[in-house]
Amino acid sequence: GAVVSQHPSWVICKSGTSVKIECRSLDFQATTMFWYRQFPKQSLMLMATSNEGSKATYEQGVEKDKFLINHASLTLSTLTVTSAHPEDSSFYICSASPGDGTQYFGPGTRLLVL
Amino acid sequence: QQQVKQSPQSLIVQKGGISIINCAYENTAFDYFPWYQQFPGKGPALLIAIRPDVSEKKEGRFTISFNKSAKQFSLHIMDSQPGDSATYFCAASTDGSSNTGKLIFGQGTTLQVKP
């Protein structure tokens, strides 16, 4: 149980384009999902907290107009990287909580912006 | 005060040995302490977690020891195996019984278990 999926697992795009990443909780409902970014050999950096049906809460320093988050249902949250640039290249990971404080992570999405 | 400090940064253990990773925190409001295992190119997987009302929790070969007064907690991997080679992250959160608790991660420990 407690499986979280992400799609796509990797994506390559041209600079200036937008990329959408989906995060789904497959076997539980998640009123809250979290989006993280991870650079090579570094820890996870929380970008935003996403609550179903409401606006996401962004961490300090994260541009909300750059990283659009939508949590349309209890099992789906999306992260859209708008007008992507090479510095946005990273490993993006989502997590979902079934309501007990536990966070289950997705497999991650590797984004490369050329 | 929101930091979680993890050590060592890297660890090499012989097969069958005990791997020990330590974490320390300052915020006494933290009430949920999970450990995650991450393989290269994959998302973190929840290994084991503890709340401050107990001093130790064991699941298979993995044990968390928690010292509330010292504000420290550690992960012990008994009978370490080459398949345990991965990066391990400790974390802490406040309001850990609800959806709103944000996880504060340690810096990570890269474990290598030699055959």
Side-chain angles (χ1 to χ4, degrees), chain A:
Chain A
V3 179
V4 177
S5 70
Q6 275 185 247
H7 179 80
S9 56
W10 60 271
V11 57
I12 302 173
C13 69
K14 292 182 178 180
S15 185
T17 61
S18 294
V19 174
K20 180 185 284 189
I21 302 170
E22 291 187 349
C23 177
R24 294 181 185 271
S25 55
L26 299 184
D27 51 4
F28 65 96
Q29 292 187 331
T31 55
T32 305
M33 291 184 173
F34 302 84
W35 286 95
Y36 295 82
R37 184 173 180 177
Q38 187 178 36
F39 292 104
K41 298 189 185 301
Q42 292 191 21
S43 190
L44 289 82
M45 182 189 79
L46 179 65
M47 299 175 65
T49 302
S50 164
N51 291 292
E52 186 262 339
S54 62
K55 290 183 178 181
T57 301
Y58 291 82
E59 295 299 300
Q60 191 173 9
V62 178
E63 300 175 59
K64 60 182 180 182
D65 295 330
K66 174 98 176 143
F67 300 98
L68 300 178
I69 292 172
N70 182 274
H71 195 155
S73 75
L74 288 173
T75 59
L76 173 64
S77 177
T78 61
L79 168 68
T80 301
V81 183
T82 62
S83 186
H85 291 284
E87 58 265 29
D88 298 324
S89 299
S90 192
F91 191 50
Y92 293 88
I93 315 173
C94 71
S95 72
S97 179
D100 60 355
T102 308
Q103 288 187 31
Y104 297 97
F105 285 81
T109 296
R110 189 161 301 282
L111 170 64
L112 177 60
V113 184
L114 302 176

Side-chain angles (χ1 to χ4, degrees), chain B residues 16-36:
Chain B
I18 303 174
S19 303
I20 302 174
I21 305 171
N22 301 298
C23 284
Y25 63 96
E26 288 294 325
N27 188 352
T28 55
F30 286 145
D31 61 359
Y32 176 66
F33 304 89
W35 284 89
Y36 287 87

Side-chain angles (χ1 to χ4, degrees), chain A residues 41-42, chain B residues 6-13 21 38 40 84-89 107-113:
Chain A
K41 298 189 185 301
Q42 292 191 21
Chain B
Q6 183 172 345
S7 64
Q9 186 176 356
S10 63
L11 180 62
I12 300 175
V13 173
I21 305 171
Q38 186 179 31
D84 296 330
S85 298
T87 299
Y88 293 81
F89 292 97
Q107 295 81 0
T109 297
T110 302
L111 170 65
Q112 181 184 358
V113 181

Side-chain angles (χ1 to χ4, degrees), chain B residues 79-102:
Chain B
D79 187 26
S80 299
Q81 298 296 313
D84 296 330
S85 298
T87 299
Y88 293 81
F89 292 97
C90 64
S93 75
T94 58
D95 199 16
S97 60
S98 76
N99 285 333
T100 59
K102 293 192 296 187

Side-chain angles (χ1 to χ4, degrees), chain B residues 56-92:
Chain B
E56 185 175 283
K57 183 175 182 180
K58 183 176 181 179
E59 289 184 2
R61 295 185 294 111
F62 301 95
T63 300
I64 298 180
S65 296
F66 182 77
N67 187 329
K68 190 174 182 178
S69 60
K71 291 183 283 188
Q72 295 175 347
F73 58 109
S74 60
L75 175 70
H76 295 232
I77 306 175
M78 312 299 287
D79 187 26
S80 299
Q81 298 296 313
D84 296 330
S85 298
T87 299
Y88 293 81
F89 292 97
C90 64

